[in-house]
Amino acid sequence: MESEPLLTGSINYGSHPENNDHLEKGSPKTRRLSYSVAAEYCCVEGGDEDLYLQQAVVFIEDAIQYRSINHRVDANSLRLYRWYYSRLWQWGLGLTIAVVLMLAFIERPSSFSYTSDPRFRPPPWEPPCGLTEGIEIVCLIIFAIDLTTKSYLIGWDEFRKCKWLIVYILAVSASVIDWTLTLSMFCDQNLRVRRLIRPFFLLQNSSLMKKTLKCIKRTLPEIASVILLLALHLCLFTMIGMLLFAKGENPKHNGEWETYFRDLPTSLSSLLVLLTTANNPDVMIPAYSLNRGYSIFFILFSGFGTYFLMNLLTAIIYNQFRGYLLMSVQASILRRRLGVRAAFEVMSCQGRGHDATHSEEHVERVRVDASLQVMARVQMKSYYRQAIIKRVQQLSDGFIQWEAFRSLFDELDKDRIKVHPPKPEYNSPLLQRLQLVFSHYYVMIVGNAVALANVMCICTILVLDSEKSIAERDDYYMEVINCFFILYYLMEMSLKILAFGWRGYLSYRNNIFDGLLTVCLLLLQITIFATYRLPFPKWNPASRGLMSLWEMVRLVNMLIVVRFLRIIPDIKLMALVASTLVDLVKNLRAFAGILVVVFYVFAVLGIWLFQGAITAPGKMSVMSNSSMENITINFTMECGSYEQLGYWPNNFDDFASSLVLLYNIMVVNNWQVFMDAYTRYTTEWSKVYFVSWWLTSSVMWVNLFVALILENFIYKWDRSVTCSVADVERTGYETTVQLMFREQIQEPTEEELVTQLHQHPHLHLS
């Protein structure tokens, strides 16, 4: 049912057992005759001519978006279906999901304070009771409408098979019940269960995220085997470590035992952190300082665990993920072919009413004029429509056979290669000469060299003035240099517009980037002149207008540095990397969504478990002396501890700070500091939370991200070996995930398409 622009979920790609016997009794030709031999057997719900065209339009839209065609096909349902998948409703639903997720920043504990450091944080703004609850109930009503509409469109039989919709009902119901409890308690409810439910609304609205979860589920057995081996490796070295670094008689030689191997939980956590290299070489220094031979233990542990087992885990996830991509693309092709085939069949039914001779013989074809009517009504990108209509108009006999009809939609697998508008024609020889010069490739090289020189000048002045305060700086020379380069950029932009014309200039992405930054630089420079006059020696950079002179010059310099990125498309390898990053942005929606869900759930759990667990010293002045004596023990200033490093802003006191803390742990640098602090202030069981987050984020999601980068980059690298710079830049427009696996996927056969059409719950073509 859902739009799947790139990766799609698996559907049953073969014949169902209950239909195999029936299909084996006849030839492929017999299967076709069962639903297309004559007009009287072509019975579609609603049966009028316009309905056939309307059905064909929707089926082709399903094919374009890789959606399932198993939905109602009567006239009213089709109108509702198109409205449901309209841009207005889908954007509205996405906005609703975003709003309900963002409520966590406003609800208690609110994130509305300028700092998360408990030593300096003022009391945050708390919303009045009913404000966030009112917004939330509106969102829940929209979700209920979405659920009702989707359930109606697919019908009861399909609804019973869809576990996501059943869970959708439970999620909305549980949220409403919890919302009612909150209001009945006058918004004084600390444990809001519906917070954990909210990420589900994001998941269920994206087929890509659902299938990514299925991929993770399918990959878990292989990952579990490696994690089990990793756990065995960890336990084995933990026991060996406890034996090696047991407490001795000499207190001076017990540094390793006291800090890292005092007991089993401490030993396990020390080596687990070493597995991530976060505490290397700190963990071995006490023992290594006594005997260099102890380093062998730590080198063997990290060498085998970090460099062998962890990389093996990455390889397994990559291999499984690639298989998931291939299977998803295979299912995508089936859905597209099935949608096109369904459109062809209903259009064949529509055509038979106008061709009496055709109804008497078994010839599958559709009328050209009907195809043109359908394509005019389909919602699709204009260049796809124009390409398909152009091919249809080239057919001269008035009818289109199935193979020709199917091949029309091969255009959907191609992306537009931008054709630049023709250059303007000038009568003046001078203008013609300027046009020839400033449309040449070498002008771009000169422009890049000038941009590099500009950045080098800024860098030189920054180095020379790095030790000076703002009052001691003299920005006269920097401003003169900037004025010179900005005038050059303005001249370059003007002459390029002259050479290419407005439309031609704007048809290049580099020119748009350059032009916007040049206009911004010009406006900023005019503002500086209007506020502080022309540059002169001993210009005081601390002068203030709307902004200080130094702030405005800094802003100009930052824009100039950003403008230097224009060189990226002109270097082949950099263009390749940049196009890979662009593709990642387009293809990472599912993984970014999964990451948002995981961050959201762990942040909510962190608030429930650890909110207020760590209190800054300045907040405890009201405590009694005895309480202070007990808690001062926790506020250790040991080197490398949470308190000594000043990590106070990293806490679970509100949703925003929880997200930042989880990100810091995902990066794994010093993540043991947070785990140690919350272990001291709460219980040893808090380690379970932090280790679970490390496994989920750093091990699982980061490896999936690496797999996606590898797949995309390797494909582009293989293609770029014989490509020019322009071809590499264009690759980002031509490549789709389907094309990446084109050589490995198989086209669905006629029998498979027929089988799927026979199983349609609402389209009765026989």
Side-chain angles (χ1 to χ4, degrees), residues 83-131:
W83 170 82
Y84 178 80
Y85 282 108
S86 66
R87 183 172 299 179
L88 177 63
W89 176 254
Q90 291 301 314
W91 274 92
L93 187 60
L95 179 62
T96 303
I97 294 171
V99 168
V100 81
L101 291 175
M102 294 294 288
L103 288 177
F105 292 98
I106 306 174
E107 295 171 331
R108 285 183 281 181
S110 170
S111 302
F112 278 37
S113 60
Y114 67 87
T115 178
S116 60
D117 193 327
R119 296 171 299 176
F120 317 117
R121 181 179 59 210
W125 174 80
E126 299 290 350
C129 181
L131 176 62

Side-chain angles (χ1 to χ4, degrees), residues 330-512:
Q330 189 76 61
S332 300
I333 296 300
L334 175 60
R335 286 193 172 192
R336 173 161 288 181
R337 299 293 179 259
L338 191 60
V340 172
R341 180 72 193 196
F344 180 81
E345 288 303 322
V346 295
M347 290 173 68
S348 297
C349 295
Q350 186 263 352
R352 292 185 188 106
H354 296 265
D355 187 12
T357 60
H358 181 207
S359 64
E360 301 299 330
E361 57 182 353
H362 171 59
V363 179
E364 290 186 305
R365 58 185 185 175
V366 298
R367 292 186 294 116
V368 168
D369 60 335
S371 301
L372 293 174
Q373 290 181 51
V374 168
M375 295 312 304
R377 294 165 61 177
V378 170
Q379 293 182 358
M380 61 193 306
K381 293 181 179 178
S382 59
Y383 50 87
Y384 287 150
R385 179 184 289 108
Q386 292 169 6
I388 294 174
I389 289 177
K390 183 179 179 180
R391 290 187 58 181
V392 171
Q393 290 173 340
Q394 293 173 350
L395 301 172
S396 56
D397 62 351
F399 290 95
I400 310 176
Q401 308 296 332
W402 159 239
E403 288 300 328
F405 187 82
R406 183 195 62 78
S407 67
L408 292 176
F409 296 91
D410 290 342
E411 297 292 331
L412 298 174
D413 293 328
K414 306 172 186 176
D415 216 335
R416 178 176 58 171
I417 300 175
K418 183 178 290 186
V419 178
H420 300 290
K423 298 176 184 176
E425 297 180 359
Y426 297 108
N427 296 323
S428 169
L430 176 62
L431 293 179
Q432 291 175 358
R433 187 65 180 173
L434 287 174
Q435 183 181 44
L436 179 64
V437 170
F438 285 94
S439 60
H440 199 277
Y441 175 72
Y442 289 120
V443 173
M444 184 166 52
I445 296 177
V446 172
N448 290 338
V450 172
L452 176 61
N454 195 178
V455 171
M456 291 179 65
C457 290
I458 293 174
C459 183
T460 302
I461 294 176
L462 288 176
V463 171
L464 294 175
D465 292 347
S466 59
E467 298 293 332
K468 297 179 181 179
S469 65
I470 296 178
E472 295 172 336
R473 292 174 182 266
D474 184 3
D475 286 332
Y476 169 71
Y477 295 105
M478 181 179 287
E479 187 60 22
V480 169
I481 292 172
N482 286 348
C483 289
F484 169 78
F485 282 107
I486 290 171
L487 287 175
Y488 172 83
Y489 297 151
L490 183 62
M491 180 191 70
E492 181 189 38
M493 182 180 73
S494 304
L495 291 174
K496 280 187 176 181
I497 293 173
L498 175 70
F500 294 102
W502 274 108
R503 292 181 58 198
Y505 179 83
L506 295 176
S507 66
Y508 293 89
R509 290 176 298 161
N510 278 7
N511 290 342
I512 296 175

Side-chain angles (χ1 to χ4, degrees), residues 44 61 75 87 105 166 206 211 294 310 337 370 442 449 560 576 660 712:
V44 182
E61 290 176 348
R87 183 172 299 179
F105 292 98
I166 295 173
S206 170
K211 306 317 172 188
Y294 284 125
M310 294 299 288
R337 299 293 179 259
Y442 289 120
I560 290 173
L576 177 65
V660 175
N712 205 311

